[in-house]
Each structure stands twice: as C-alpha cells, then as structure tokens.
Amino acid sequence: MKLVYYCSQCNDVIDRLEVDAEEITEDKLGFSILTPGEKEDIINETEDEIEIGIICDDCEAEDDLISLVNNNLIH
Ligand SMILES: [Zn+2]
C-alpha cells in the first residue's frame, strides 16, 4: 500500500510512503479529527494507494504572502 501526499493547490507530489496496509488506521494518519466531508475532499483511496491532498510549502508560503498583502491593504 502506498501513501501519496500531493499538493491540492499545485498538484505536485510531495511525498510517497510505502506502508503496511494493516498498520494504517485513521487515527495514525490523523484523519479521525476530520469530518466525513473533509475526508472526502482530502483523501482519495484507490486500489493500491491512498492519495492525500495537503498544501506544499511553496503554496503555503504563497498563501501567507497573499494574506499578508491583504491584511496590509485592509489596515
Ligand atoms: Zn503546492
């Protein structure tokens, strides 16, 4: 079973992990805190891999920059 982390903004693959399918629990992945709707948005399970959409560092930095600029414009 493969875990694939990709950026949901730029679609870059961030990380791939080979994991034991039996060892994967939603708790371990931190998914148990998500609502079912959020899980649907973030997680895409295929036959042999689980794709997880997160935000990569680049996009996060960009987001920070945008909110910084927006904040400056507002104030
Ligand atoms: Zn990205």
Side-chain angles (χ1 to χ4, degrees):
M1 176 73 78
K2 260 191 219 116
L3 272 184
V4 181
Y5 289 90
Y6 70 96
C7 177
S8 54
Q9 278 190 28
C10 64
N11 281 326
D12 265 5
V13 172
I14 297 161
D15 208 0
R16 282 175 214 272
L17 299 174
E18 194 72 46
V19 289
D20 192 336
E22 274 140 46
E23 290 207 345
I24 298 185
T25 63
E26 293 197 342
D27 263 345
K28 273 195 186 163
L29 295 171
F31 295 162
S32 51
I33 55 164
L34 301 175
T35 65
E38 283 173 327
K39 270 188 224 170
E40 233 166 71
D41 281 351
I42 295 171
I43 304 160
N44 181 33
E45 280 186 57
T46 64
E47 228 167 83
D48 58 353
E49 66 179 37
I50 302 175
E51 297 166 357
I52 303 161
I54 54 176
I55 305 290
C56 72
D57 288 345
D58 283 351
C59 290
E60 196 162 22
E62 224 164 86
D63 270 358
D64 284 351
L65 208 65
I66 290 165
S67 59
L68 204 72
V69 169
N70 285 344
N71 281 341
N72 283 339
L73 285 177
I74 290 163
H75 295 301

